[in-house]
Amino acid sequence: MATVGELKLFTGTANPRLGASVAEQLGVPLGNVDIHRFRCGEIYVRYLETVRGDDVFVIQPFAAPVNESLVEMLIMIDTLKRASADRITAVVPYYGYARQEKKDAPREPISARMVADVLTTVGANRVVVIDLHAPAIQGFFNIPVDHLTALPMFVDYCRARRISNGIVIAPDAGRVKTAERLASRLDMPVGVVYKRRPSHNVSEVTHVIGEVEGKTCIIIEDIIDTGGSVVNVVEALLKGGARPEVLVCATHAVLSSDAPVRLSHPAIAELVVTDTVPIPEDRMLDKISVLSVAPLIAEAIRRIHGNVSISALFN
Ligand code: R5P
């Protein structure tokens, strides 16, 4: 099997627990790197082992504080390039800024593209991401992007729940394809909720398509940030007569601001998320189950390093 240099794995400080789990799954030690902040806030990175000629993977989701996580990743990649790593793969389980992927108003940025540009410019040779807010972001890169998905994990979770009379709900038009894939694997119908955004972090449901009356709804989301969207969707489903026992699946539990309060909504029976970003203890709720993406990332790294097809992890 053709390989590129020795496999080395490093983690930034955004989600060290995930980095350690990936290392454990892979059966390789986490690389030794010194990352600290100067008193003024600038970030310092120094690898404490050689990376010359190595096939290096750096795990760093753009978790809160998002700009710190991003800049730390950029400096980690720049340092690797200058230390003569052979190939550098940026593993970004949660790609922040993905919701700014197009101009919705004049004179706005396309920040998702800017992030792709800087990752590439500093020296990333390839990128691994999970459940991008918009899959087209892959095209913002001129280097290979492996877009993994947590969907099979949600399929297994929901199957184990043996939900009768269920319906899978796309909480907005952007999630329809994902909802269709989940529904077809669970053998359930699909409903779609339409929403509009009058301002940042505020959403309003306009209408619900699909028969939800008397049904147990499974909402499939990419990101739960403030929790506003999901709660609005739950309220709309309840108005349509859905059972007050909604299951919410979401890959990235950003849980900013008063998300824990919103998600305490009594009709949300369960919230299933992954560990792409860490959930601080004081934001955790009893009804949240966290599935680990470590095996998925480890398998992707194993295949990339071994030059083995990875497409099985895209569905
Ligand atoms: C937006 O279209 C995304 O798919 C999520 O629905 C949204 O970002 C969640 O944000 P929040 O939890 O703040 O409503």
Side-chain angles (χ1 to χ4, degrees):
M1 206 159 42
T3 56
V4 188
E6 188 186 334
L7 193 164
K8 291 263 173 82
L9 180 68
F10 294 91
T11 180
T13 61
N15 195 349
R17 189 184 290 185
L18 176 63
S21 305
V22 173
E24 195 182 325
Q25 292 281 330
L26 272 172
V28 300
L30 261 184
N32 213 351
V33 58
D34 174 19
I35 304 172
H36 64 256
R37 265 70 177 159
F38 290 99
R39 287 194 194 150
C40 62
E42 288 180 6
I43 298 168
Y44 173 84
V45 172
R46 180 172 174 235
Y47 291 88
L48 302 176
E49 59 189 270
T50 183
V51 291
R52 186 171 293 274
D54 289 334
D55 186 19
V56 183
F57 294 80
V58 185
I59 303 179
Q60 174 86 327
F62 299 155
V66 54
N67 299 324
E68 286 281 315
S69 300
L70 170 60
V71 174
E72 189 181 285
M73 175 61 128
L74 298 176
I75 296 175
M76 289 183 81
I77 294 171
D78 179 74
T79 313
L80 286 169
K81 184 178 68 181
R82 293 173 197 285
S84 304
D86 187 23
R87 182 171 67 175
I88 304 165
T89 301
V91 181
V92 188
Y94 169 59
Y95 190 90
Y97 284 106
R99 288 171 287 176
Q100 295 181 49
E101 90 288 16
K102 59 183 179 312
K103 288 174 75 164
D104 281 322
R107 299 175 297 283
E108 282 189 336
I110 303 182
S111 307
R113 168 62 200 247
M114 185 271 295
V115 170
D117 285 346
V118 288
L119 279 169
T120 312
T121 301
V122 293
N125 301 116
R126 60 186 308 138
V127 177
V128 175
V129 288
I130 302 179
D131 288 339
L132 283 168
H133 172 66
I137 292 170
Q138 293 168 81
F140 292 177
F141 290 88
N142 275 327
I143 53 176
V145 176
D146 292 308
H147 185 195
L148 314 179
T149 180
L151 193 72
M153 292 159 53
F154 294 133
V155 171
D156 290 346
Y157 188 95
C158 294
R159 276 194 187 136
R161 282 286 171 277
R162 298 181 176 279
I163 294 166
S164 62
N165 204 16
I167 181 168
V168 176
I169 302 292
D172 55 42
R175 235 34 54 206
V176 172
K177 278 194 178 157
T178 313
E180 281 172 350
R181 282 160 62 205
L182 178 59
S184 90
R185 289 179 209 186
L186 295 177
D187 199 18
M188 287 181 187
V190 187
V192 183
V193 173
Y194 286 88
K195 72 181 187 202
R196 60 182 203 97
R197 284 204 176 275
S199 58
H200 291 162
N201 285 129
V202 177
S203 70
E204 279 174 12
V205 171
T206 55
H207 47 287
V208 179
I209 309 278
E211 186 47 70
V212 298
E213 188 164 5
K215 292 208 162 71
T216 298
C217 298
I218 301 174
I219 300 174
I220 179 83
E221 259 290 19
D222 56 332
I223 303 166
I224 297 187
D225 185 350
T226 64
S229 302
V230 90
V231 166
N232 287 345
V233 169
V234 167
E235 293 283 358
L237 295 172
L238 292 176
K239 272 190 201 139
R243 285 190 202 147
E245 47 179 46
V246 177
L247 170 58
V248 180
C249 302
T251 307
H252 311 293
V254 174
L255 307 190
S256 72
S257 113
D258 49 0
V261 177
R262 292 204 175 104
L263 297 169
S264 300
H265 192 293
I268 300 178
E270 280 187 85
L271 180 54
V272 192
V273 300
T274 78
D275 57 356
T276 56
V277 291
I279 304 179
E281 256 175 46
D282 61 355
R283 318 231 99 211
M284 198 59 189
L285 299 173
D286 284 347
K287 63 180 162 188
I288 299 181
S289 301
V290 182
L291 309 177
S292 182
V293 291
L296 176 66
I297 294 175
E299 184 58 25
I301 291 175
R302 195 175 286 121
R303 290 180 186 220
I304 292 166
H305 179 65
N307 265 338
V308 174
S309 171
I310 193 175
S311 56
L313 309 181
F314 297 165
N315 298 298

